[in-house]
Amino acid sequence: MATVSLSGLLSEKLTAIATAGFDGVEIFENDLLAGTLSPEEIRLRCADLGLRIELYQPFRDFEAVPAERLARNLRRAERKFDLMERLGADLLLVCSSVDPDAVDDDALAAAHLRLLAERADAHGIRIAYEALAWGRHIHTYDHAWRVVEQADHPALGTCLDSFHILSRGSDPAGIADIPGEKIFFLQLADAPLMAMDVLRWSRHHRCFPGQGGLDVAGLVATAVRAGYRGPLSLEVFNDVFRQAGAASTAVDALRSLLLLEEQVGLTSPPAPAVPSGFAFAELAATDTEPLRGMLGALGFSRTGRHTSKPVELWQQGDARILLNTGAGGGRQGPKPVAVGVETPDPARSVRRAEAMLAPVVPRRRAPGDAPLDAVAAPDATELFFCRTDATDHPSWTDDFTGVPTGGGASAGISRIDHIALTQPWHQFDEASLFWTSVLGLAADDSVDLADPYGLRRSRAVAGPDGGVRIVLNVAPAPGADTAPVQHIALATDDLLATARRIRERGASLLPIPANYYDDLDARHALEPHTLAAYAELGILYDRDAQGEFLHCYTATVGQVFFEIVQRIGGYQGYGALNAPVRLAAQLARTHG
């Protein structure tokens, strides 16, 4: 992992990289120059941590320059070779030149690189030449390889960088034409697909493999088939990562490489047991009375109390909500703290989670309690692996004894459709990778949702059959005094009937402005009586080529609210088009 990928001073970065479990490190020159440790001390520190220094980088603007500039560059190179000997590094990354005075002459560039390789070889150092996507004359990997091949020196090879290759739309299939032994290094980074200047895209928006939209795994597979046997190394420039804690970012980084190695076929961790649905959602609250009232109005009944913990089970159909008074909801009130998913093999799910570096949550278990393991997501949400109705496996529901029923008759809710988890601002990409790697879910593209005070980023991850859907949203920015609000979406087959029952029982549904329904009529020309019913109940509407989507919202209690949804046909989305209206309506209600 390149030290530039993390926040902090060099000594902090090295500790975080080693603690996460990496084998080696790229020393980024700025980290060395700004640090107080000498090259010898850095070398010893890496050795103590069990890290190999795989690469020193970058050496810039060397090749295809006028003679007087070449002399200065060689002097600069000799000083770097001396430093690398002190550091114990034997591979130097040389970037293709962006110097305005560089000449567009491949033969000259090859001659200069050969001269550099000869000087490096005398120090026992090799040169890895990389094409920057914004290089002045050489900006594609195949062009860089042609120059390296022309230079023809054993101490000169190429460095392949997934971002520089894929951001330009280059076809990585040509990597197969490069001898594996001449691929000296492989740097990896993903990125969201964005329309912007490639330099700005590179400097601010790279992310770890699996968090963006580039086919990093395909590129690595091609390099491995070509015979590459060196390190897989992460070089990620990201504004958020460089402000977040180095320790957690390094773990996220290693998780991305573990998943990548699996995708490429280099390793075989336990396969994910893709969940088929939600077993429960758990809410913590010091005072559960507001939630009891809300659940009763939604048609839930209290069906059990845990035999050894202050937890109640509320159920309607296959939708189950746990109310926990032991964990506490804090001054903001009720909040989600755990999610249970139905998995065909809980033991394998735990092994998979551990292989993907998910920390197992210590559990206090009374004698006779059903075995139930949980791991912690990056935002501290606990993820439980369940088999609720299995005849050959203990069910977590056996830990609940019957209690007098609280609540009312069913309102038509059948199950949990999806759960929306608001993430700390610096853990959005980490959360996406966690849920996809641990559960084997697939991630949709990120979307920006407009609210009255800016944009919110959102991304959904889901199983192949839609049984488990999780929507990840970004919390308010650092320093904001607003507690993040989460929500649970409940499915019904008849939203109009369900909404009327809920309202008749006294639950407050979020009112939606009349302007929305005027626009809805203009866009979809719904039947007048249908449109009137939607407006009366605060129901929002969306459609796509596969089907239709109806949804409405309850008032917010503490840090949670409920969404009731009806999917018609093959609709797979979440009504994102309506999110700005919902956010504004919630804000208006909050401020009276």
Side-chain angles (χ1 to χ4, degrees):
M1 185 181 191
T3 56
V4 74
S5 306
L6 298 178
S7 65
L9 301 175
L10 180 57
S11 57
E12 298 173 284
K13 297 181 181 191
L14 295 175
T15 299
I17 290 169
T19 302
F22 283 88
D23 305 303
V25 64
E26 299 179 38
I27 301 293
F28 194 71
E29 185 170 72
N30 287 9
D31 288 318
L32 183 143
L33 299 181
T36 57
L37 298 179
S38 69
E40 290 83 3
E41 289 172 324
I42 295 171
R43 178 178 186 170
L44 289 173
R45 180 61 178 152
C46 288
D48 288 343
L49 292 170
L51 292 173
R52 297 188 302 270
I53 300 178
E54 301 283 5
L55 182 77
Y56 184 73
Q57 65 127 327
F59 191 69
R60 302 184 187 276
D61 298 331
F62 174 80
E63 79 282 6
V65 293
E68 65 278 5
R69 180 73 61 83
L70 176 63
R72 293 200 299 270
N73 286 347
L74 288 171
R75 178 184 179 278
R76 182 162 56 97
E78 287 289 350
R79 296 297 297 271
K80 295 305 176 187
F81 297 152
D82 291 341
L83 183 150
M84 290 176 65
E85 287 182 314
R86 297 170 61 196
L87 195 61
D90 61 4
L91 185 62
L92 175 66
L93 177 68
V94 176
C95 303
S96 63
S97 180
V98 299
D99 191 329
D101 294 330
V103 180
D104 186 7
D105 184 335
D106 283 5
L108 183 63
H112 286 179
L113 288 172
R114 180 179 178 86
L115 181 59
L116 181 66
E118 290 171 349
R119 298 285 189 96
D121 197 26
H123 294 266
I125 291 171
R126 297 180 304 153
I127 303 297
Y129 183 60
E130 171 190 62
L132 294 178
W134 51 91
R136 181 166 178 78
H137 301 299
I138 298 174
H139 45 251
T140 63
Y141 79 94
D142 50 344
H143 191 175
W145 163 240
R146 291 196 302 270
V147 173
V148 168
E149 190 175 30
Q150 188 174 351
D152 190 24
H153 192 282
L156 178 65
T158 189
C159 172
L160 300 177
D161 183 300
S162 64
F163 179 84
H164 290 303
I165 294 170
L166 299 174
S167 65
R168 293 190 60 90
S170 298
D171 185 355
I175 293 172
D177 298 327
I178 305 175
E181 67 275 10
K182 295 301 285 185
I183 304 174
F184 280 5
F185 208 71
L186 188 56
Q187 290 180 319
L188 305 175
D190 205 339
L193 302 179
M194 309 174 77
M196 65 166 53
D197 171 74
V198 69
L199 178 57
R200 183 165 175 248
W201 190 15
S202 172
R203 286 288 176 260
H204 301 281
H205 299 286
R206 295 194 195 194
C207 54
F208 298 128
Q211 295 176 339
L214 303 179
D215 185 13
V216 181
L219 184 146
V220 173
T222 303
V224 170
R225 286 196 298 270
Y228 178 69
R229 296 296 180 266
L232 303 179
S233 187
L234 299 170
E235 185 198 40
V236 174
F237 299 85
N238 184 291
D239 294 342
V240 174
F241 295 171
R242 284 180 285 193
Q243 297 177 69
S248 61
T249 304
V251 171
D252 183 37
L254 187 59
R255 180 182 295 123
S256 76
L257 280 187
L258 294 174
L259 182 61
L260 178 70
E261 287 178 332
E262 179 186 31
Q263 293 169 339
V264 174
L266 297 175
T267 59
S268 300
V274 179
S276 59
F278 289 103
F280 63 82
E282 183 174 350
L283 305 174
T286 302
D287 178 10
T288 58
E289 285 308 312
L291 271 178
R292 288 191 180 100
M294 175 70 76
L295 290 173
L298 288 172
F300 282 80
S301 297
R302 186 177 59 180
T303 59
R305 181 182 293 117
H306 200 279
T307 56
S308 62
K309 299 180 178 69
V311 180
E312 296 176 355
L313 170 60
W314 290 68
Q315 186 166 351
Q316 182 176 184
D318 288 328
R320 304 177 191 87
I321 305 294
L322 302 183
L323 298 188
N324 187 335
T325 58
R331 63 182 179 86
Q332 290 89 10
K335 63 179 181 180
V337 294
V339 174
V341 295
E342 299 285 359
T343 172
D345 190 341
R348 192 176 90 200
S349 294
V350 172
R351 294 195 301 273
R352 169 71 181 189
E354 291 182 294
M356 292 294 133
L357 308 181
V360 175
V361 177
R363 305 295 304 168
R364 179 177 61 84
R365 182 178 295 142
D369 281 1
L372 192 59
D373 291 310
V375 297
D379 65 351
T381 298
E382 295 182 1
L383 170 62
F384 287 84
F385 303 106
C386 309
R387 286 187 67 192
T388 302
D389 298 322
T391 58
D392 59 345
H393 187 276
S395 174
W396 61 274
T397 56
D398 295 339
D399 295 341
F400 290 81
T401 58
V403 296
T405 299
S410 170
I413 289 167
S414 58
R415 59 185 176 81
I416 295 175
D417 181 88
H418 65 271
I419 294 176
L421 299 174
T422 303
Q423 303 299 305
W425 65 276
H426 60 286
Q427 289 180 332
F428 180 84
D429 289 320
E430 181 180 359
S432 173
L433 186 65
F434 172 87
W435 291 101
T436 54
S437 65
V438 170
L439 293 183
L441 306 180
D444 294 341
D445 293 334
S446 295
V447 296
D448 290 330
L449 307 176
D451 79 357
Y453 294 108
L455 292 176
R456 298 192 182 200
R457 192 176 171 201
S458 182
R459 189 175 201 180
V461 296
D465 61 355
V468 167
R469 295 182 173 98
I470 295 172
V471 178
L472 305 170
N473 301 309
V474 173
D481 58 3
T482 303
V485 176
Q486 328 269 24
H487 81 264
I488 299 169
L490 305 168
T492 179
D493 292 331
D494 187 343
L495 183 56
L496 284 169
T498 296
R500 287 195 173 101
R501 290 174 192 153
I502 291 170
R503 195 174 63 173
E504 288 167 0
R505 293 169 183 170
S508 178
L509 295 176
L510 183 70
I512 302 300
N515 294 337
Y516 169 80
Y517 296 100
D518 290 341
D519 179 70
L520 187 61
D521 186 34
R523 286 187 290 119
H524 295 298
L526 300 176
E527 292 292 335
H529 68 278
T530 301
L531 190 68
Y534 290 174
E536 174 197 359
L537 297 167
I539 291 176
L540 300 119
Y541 175 88
D542 190 28
R543 70 165 61 152
D544 61 17
Q546 284 71 46
E548 299 170 285
F549 187 64
L550 310 179
H551 55 140
C552 63
Y553 297 87
T554 70
T556 301
V557 179
Q559 292 174 244
V560 67
F561 62 91
F562 294 92
E563 179 183 10
I564 305 94
V565 310
Q566 180 183 356
R567 296 179 182 273
I568 302 171
Y571 185 95
Q572 297 297 319
Y574 304 86
L577 185 67
N578 297 322
V581 176
R582 186 261 297 176
L583 289 165
Q586 288 177 317
L587 186 66
R589 185 180 181 90
T590 300
H591 292 290

